[in-house]
Amino acid sequence: MTLTRRHALLAGATLPLVPAFAPLAHAAADKLGAATPPFRRYNLGSFEVTPLLAGTRVQEDPKAIFAGNVPQEEFEAAAHAAFLPTDRAQGFFTPTLVNTGSELILFDTGLSQEGILAALEAAGHSADEVDLVVITHMHGDHIGGLMEGETPTFANARYLTGQVENDHWSAQQNEGYEGKIRPLLETMSFVAGGDEAAPGITAVEAFGHTPGHMAWRLESDGQALMLTADAANHYVFSLGHPDWEVRFDMDKAAAATRRALFGQIAEERIPFIGYHMPFPAVGYVETSGDGFRFVPESYQLMLNG
């Protein structure tokens, strides 16, 4: 049989239409899992401020952690209003790195050496670059990254913490203090409220969460930011309801500190970094009812240049 041009045209007309540039079929891409970048960097005047995500984990039974003194129904209503589950919460552990231009200062160290080293590396730094490590208080999730065995994580650093905080823990025979803090005491300095870690970086007494818990105020070129550490442990339950008792607050008078510190931040309308706030842990607060409302930073600090 001879295939004529007419036969070829008719045969082509019976084929399905295929786009001229159709991609070739391929297997579905692998799912990579949920992910959060481990750092965020801002300018604050001449300072460079970098929150570091040194760890995150699920916390079971958040009412027992953040609302020990309130009825179940009240807790559930607050969680529902904030679109939060009542059976689990997500915990964040956020040390902060401050580059003043002359020193690299790290505030707290996370749960472990592995976590803080990974976050520092992601942010373009190494542990050897850190000049000063400031410990806001001595709970394990803040001092865990100081040492691995007998090896200090920050080989070239000095250390600084509150005098009241150190005096308390040094008398407790606490495993974390003995393993992470005591070996570093020869290179550690101690401060009180109002003292400076560096020009523009001032200690603020925020006692209650621990006996000598310290917040830190950063000021540079007319711009200010507060590192609140654990003055509030949850962006809804602790800020929205300052009097709710937090399991980890050693002195329940921490509620009064919470009100005073965040009242000041709200009045000044300055940003803050909260160690356990949802990463990148930066935001503002405004007064709302009998407490505060957390307003996450969106692009305000990006405009600082």
Side-chain angles (χ1 to χ4, degrees):
M1 179 181 294
T2 302
L3 183 64
T4 67
R5 181 173 181 274
R6 181 171 178 273
H7 290 146
L9 290 172
L10 290 173
T14 66
L15 295 175
L17 295 176
V18 179
F21 301 102
L24 297 175
H26 58 79
D30 292 336
K31 293 181 179 178
L32 301 180
T36 300
F39 76 98
R40 184 83 175 269
R41 186 174 289 120
Y42 305 93
N43 290 329
L44 185 80
S46 62
F47 292 170
E48 194 171 74
V49 180
T50 308
L52 301 167
L53 183 60
T56 182
R57 66 186 179 194
V58 172
Q59 298 167 310
E60 303 291 341
D61 192 8
K63 181 190 181 302
I65 299 173
F66 304 113
N69 60 334
V70 301
Q72 180 71 25
E73 297 78 12
E74 185 177 349
F75 171 77
E76 290 181 356
H80 179 76
F83 298 89
L84 293 174
T86 58
D87 60 335
R88 295 182 301 166
Q90 190 73 31
F92 301 87
F93 305 88
T94 311
T96 296
L97 193 65
V98 179
N99 191 338
T100 69
S102 58
E103 284 189 301
L104 195 61
I105 304 174
L106 178 66
F107 290 83
D108 292 331
T109 67
L111 292 155
S112 67
Q113 185 185 82
E114 179 183 12
I116 189 60
L117 288 179
L120 280 169
E121 181 180 359
H125 291 286
S126 69
D128 290 347
E129 293 179 280
V130 175
D131 298 296
L132 175 65
V133 177
V134 177
I135 299 299
T136 63
H137 64 291
M138 295 181 183
H139 279 163
D141 56 326
H142 294 254
I143 65 173
L146 282 171
M147 305 271 290
E148 183 63 33
E150 298 182 357
T151 304
T153 304
F154 308 98
N156 301 317
R158 320 183 312 279
Y159 301 87
L160 184 148
T161 194
Q163 183 72 63
V164 173
E165 185 74 356
N166 186 73
D167 289 350
H168 169 80
W169 291 104
S170 66
Q172 300 304 309
Q173 297 184 332
N174 175 267
E175 181 179 353
Y177 181 91
E178 298 301 324
K180 305 287 187 177
I181 298 292
R182 194 174 292 281
L184 302 172
L185 287 180
E186 289 186 2
T187 56
M188 188 168 289
S189 300
F190 304 98
V191 295
D195 292 342
E196 287 190 328
I201 302 179
T202 307
V204 178
E205 292 182 355
F207 300 169
H209 180 68
T210 61
H213 179 272
M214 201 79 78
W216 287 87
R217 183 183 180 90
L218 311 181
E219 288 191 71
S220 177
D221 298 337
Q223 298 179 24
L225 179 148
M226 193 78 77
L227 302 178
T228 60
D230 284 15
N233 287 77
H234 193 278
Y235 78 107
V236 171
F237 306 135
S238 297
L239 284 177
H241 307 273
D243 296 326
W244 286 10
E245 290 184 0
V246 177
R247 178 195 296 168
F248 305 114
D249 285 347
M250 295 175 65
D251 183 346
K252 301 315 173 188
T257 295
R258 204 156 27 246
R259 286 190 175 279
L261 183 63
F262 286 98
Q264 176 188 343
I265 293 169
E267 183 177 355
E268 291 192 57
R269 296 177 62 84
I270 62 173
F272 78 98
I273 297 176
Y275 193 80
H276 295 296
M277 297 296 110
F279 194 77
V282 186
Y284 301 82
V285 288
E286 64 176 4
T287 56
S288 178
D290 191 41
F292 305 96
R293 185 175 76 91
F294 178 62
V295 182
E297 190 270 346
S298 54
Y299 59 73
Q300 296 95 325
L301 297 184
M302 293 177 67
L303 302 178
N304 288 347

